[in-house]
Amino acid sequence: MNGNLIIKNASELVTCSGFAAKRGKEMGELHIISDGAVVIKEGIIDAAGTTKDIEAKLAKSGADLSGFDIIDAQNKAVLPGFVDSHTHFVFGGYRAEEFSWRLRGDSYMQIMERGGGIVNTVRATRKADANELLQAGIKRLDAMLSFGVTTVEGKSGYGLDKDTEIKQLEVINHLDGIHYIDIVPTFLGAHAVPDNFKDRQDEFIDFMIKEVMPLVVERKLAQYCDIFCEKNVFSVEQSRRYLSKAKEMGFKIKLHADEIVALGGAELAADLKATSADHLLQASDEGIRQMAKAGVVATLLPGTAFSLKEPYARGRFMIDSNCAVALATDFNPGSCFTESIPLIFALATLYMGITPEEAVSALTINAAAALDRADTIGSLDVGKNGDLVMLEYPSYKFIAYHIGVSTVEKVVKRGNLVFDKEKGGKIYC
Ligand code: NIG
Ligand code: FE
């Protein structure tokens, strides 16, 4: 595991080249090198180009390649590792029963209003000890790795009290240290209103701001702060107060915005210059225009719309409005219980009017930008982390085309092969 690797003869080296979010038309430009090669040295991309050029350069430099692993990617496409920039993957218990109720016609919000939904998972997460959460987290991260995810964002929000929010964030940080996948932690203290604050949303926001946020900052447990801005959860004004305080305390901010009801979450995200606003199924034209102007990444979660049988966010309109669009799974036990990147590709391309090229940008460079990491991940540019996936097929076009099935053969993390379908999956070293 020395992070020295050369991949050559790739039918397509899909570089997604760039160091910032791509907007509008740029999202369709993948900067593909045919018969491509990439050199990763000590985990960092050292060179990328045609195999012919790279081989000539290496020969000329006389570099000692004995410490490099070599992968022949003939007839295979190579892309940056996928970035899943919105998930809730650390939680206790499951909500399979609620899923059956939804299939019989109950809505997500109806279940929430009668004491199920997020607070159901809160009860189970409070009960679970840190080791149970850790073990479940490893299993879920392994599934993500098999789909080609090399960086994931993970939120708290299933504690809604001081101890459990901290426990969840500690587990997320611990997992970052022990798993191949890099994890970006987000504090989502305002995810729902717990029973002991029923009808006292403002007091709950005060509690989070005064009692929990400072502790999260002091222990350096999260980089982002997020809130569920939604009718009957937290209003736009409550969200503004909570996120403004979070910004003052040094967090970058994100919002669950305009998911079920058009509340003005997109406008708020633009006004507060959030890094991203997520969901946006009901975002208004004006909100979208403002987000484009403010440079807020629109993170769309088609798996959630699919699972809730809600209309999809207007991805095509957002891209045409010059927004930077990212795609993510929203993996969570309630509204979208899937880690499946291929499903997200299928839904985005078949139902949201997003092209396969745009979907690739949305799950790589733009998702990296949704985590403020477009300078280090999300593309195959020199100087970035050597995180990439090699497909079983010759083109990125197969990701959407092979509906709902993973086309990922190998996953490389900082120059080390960490997953290989041909060798039975995750590689332990
Ligand atoms: O992004 N909408 C709010 N939060 C999550 C769902 C969490 C849950 O149901 O457990 C979401 O969809
Ligand atoms: Fe979410």
Side-chain angles (χ1 to χ4, degrees):
M1 292 294 251
N2 58 10
N4 291 334
L5 178 70
I6 298 170
I7 298 185
K8 57 183 191 177
N9 302 324
S11 50
E12 288 178 353
L13 188 73
V14 182
T15 67
C16 300
S17 180
F19 291 83
K22 294 187 196 284
R23 291 148 162 271
K25 282 205 174 66
E26 291 170 358
M27 282 187 66
E29 294 156 15
L30 294 180
H31 303 273
I32 297 173
I33 300 170
S34 305
D35 192 7
V38 57
V39 180
I40 304 170
K41 208 167 163 185
E42 291 172 10
I44 302 295
I45 298 175
D46 193 53
T50 61
T51 302
K52 196 165 153 231
D53 286 354
I54 295 286
E55 279 181 337
K57 229 191 244 171
L58 288 171
K60 202 167 154 206
S61 73
D64 173 15
L65 301 180
S66 57
F68 281 75
D69 288 330
I70 297 183
I71 294 177
D72 187 337
Q74 213 159 40
N75 280 318
K76 319 265 163 135
V78 172
L79 298 90
F82 299 127
V83 178
D84 192 348
S85 63
H86 180 140
T87 82
H88 311 243
F89 78 93
V90 172
F91 56 84
Y94 288 97
R95 308 211 313 259
E97 192 59 34
E98 288 184 9
F99 188 75
S100 306
W101 297 341
R102 286 205 285 108
L103 293 179
R104 289 201 297 262
D106 292 351
S107 77
Y108 180 74
M109 290 314 265
Q110 278 166 346
I111 293 171
M112 188 162 182
E113 276 150 24
R114 58 173 197 249
I118 293 169
V119 296
N120 185 349
T121 299
V122 167
R123 285 189 284 272
T125 307
R126 286 179 181 174
K127 265 194 217 137
D129 68 31
N131 190 46
E132 283 170 55
L133 295 178
L134 194 83
Q135 296 311 322
I138 292 171
K139 246 179 87 179
R140 294 165 194 157
L141 288 168
D142 286 352
M144 292 173 186
L145 187 70
S146 75
F147 291 121
V149 171
T150 48
T151 301
V152 68
E153 182 255 21
K155 302 176 195 291
S156 69
Y158 291 123
L160 310 182
D161 62 16
K162 197 194 288 183
D163 289 352
T164 319
E165 285 295 312
I166 298 292
K167 176 174 74 179
Q168 245 195 301
L169 287 172
E170 281 175 346
V171 168
I172 292 171
N173 280 277
H174 187 167
L175 286 165
D176 181 41
I178 62 173
H179 200 278
Y180 294 134
I181 298 182
D182 283 327
I183 306 171
V184 180
T186 293
F187 170 57
L188 175 57
H191 193 194
V193 187
D195 293 344
N196 54 327
F197 280 93
K198 196 166 186 302
D199 299 324
R200 296 190 295 135
Q201 274 91 337
D202 276 305
E203 286 169 53
F204 181 65
I205 294 281
D206 287 341
F207 164 72
M208 280 293 157
I209 290 173
K210 290 194 189 127
E211 306 282 328
V212 193
M213 255 185 216
L215 209 58
V216 177
V217 174
E218 192 191 305
R219 298 197 192 169
K220 295 192 174 62
L221 289 173
Q223 287 153 32
Y224 288 90
C225 187
D226 193 347
I227 187 165
F228 189 14
C229 176
E230 186 61 57
K231 188 172 171 221
N232 296 334
V233 190
F234 298 107
S235 69
V236 169
E237 273 325 302
Q238 285 160 346
S239 303
R240 180 187 293 280
R241 192 157 69 80
Y242 169 89
L243 292 173
S244 302
K245 275 284 171 212
K247 249 175 113 169
E248 272 173 41
M249 288 191 214
F251 288 101
K252 291 173 185 152
I253 58 173
K254 292 180 170 288
L255 301 71
H256 284 64
D258 298 327
E259 179 180 353
I260 317 276
V261 176
L263 220 57
E267 289 85 341
L268 178 66
D271 198 28
L272 294 178
K273 299 245 173 329
T275 302
S276 73
D278 303 27
H279 285 290
L280 301 169
L281 276 57
Q282 304 293 340
S284 70
D285 290 5
E286 179 55 20
I288 292 167
R289 199 186 60 74
Q290 289 183 19
M291 279 181 47
K293 193 157 163 239
V296 178
V297 177
T299 299
L300 308 184
L301 311 165
T304 311
F306 175 66
S307 165
L308 296 181
K309 297 205 258 183
E310 294 279 344
Y312 292 91
R314 294 183 290 157
R316 181 74 263 140
F317 177 73
M318 291 180 197
I319 296 173
D320 292 342
S321 304
N322 213 31
C323 257
V325 167
L327 288 162
T329 60
D330 194 21
F331 175 70
N332 74 73
S335 64
C336 189
F337 187 48
T338 182
E339 306 93 334
S340 174
I341 296 291
L343 176 65
I344 302 307
F345 262 98
L347 297 174
T349 51
L350 287 166
Y351 293 115
M352 297 171 89
I354 294 178
T355 66
E357 293 74 25
E358 290 164 342
V360 169
S361 296
L363 268 151
T364 55
I365 186 71
N366 281 10
L371 300 177
D372 293 290
R373 293 196 179 189
D375 55 338
T376 54
I377 56 171
S379 71
L380 301 180
D381 281 303
V382 170
K384 287 202 182 185
N385 291 355
D387 295 356
L388 53 84
V389 295
M390 185 177 115
L391 306 185
E392 293 171 303
Y393 294 99
S395 171
Y396 70 88
K397 290 191 172 126
F398 282 76
I399 306 171
Y401 167 53
H402 203 176
I403 296 172
V405 177
S406 182
T407 52
V408 171
E409 180 181 308
K410 292 181 176 32
V411 181
V412 169
K413 183 70 187 169
R414 286 208 189 84
N416 295 312
L417 184 65
V418 293
F419 174 90
D420 192 344
K421 210 182 242 178
E422 295 192 323
K423 291 188 182 144
K426 183 173 159 185
I427 293 172
Y428 294 86
C429 21

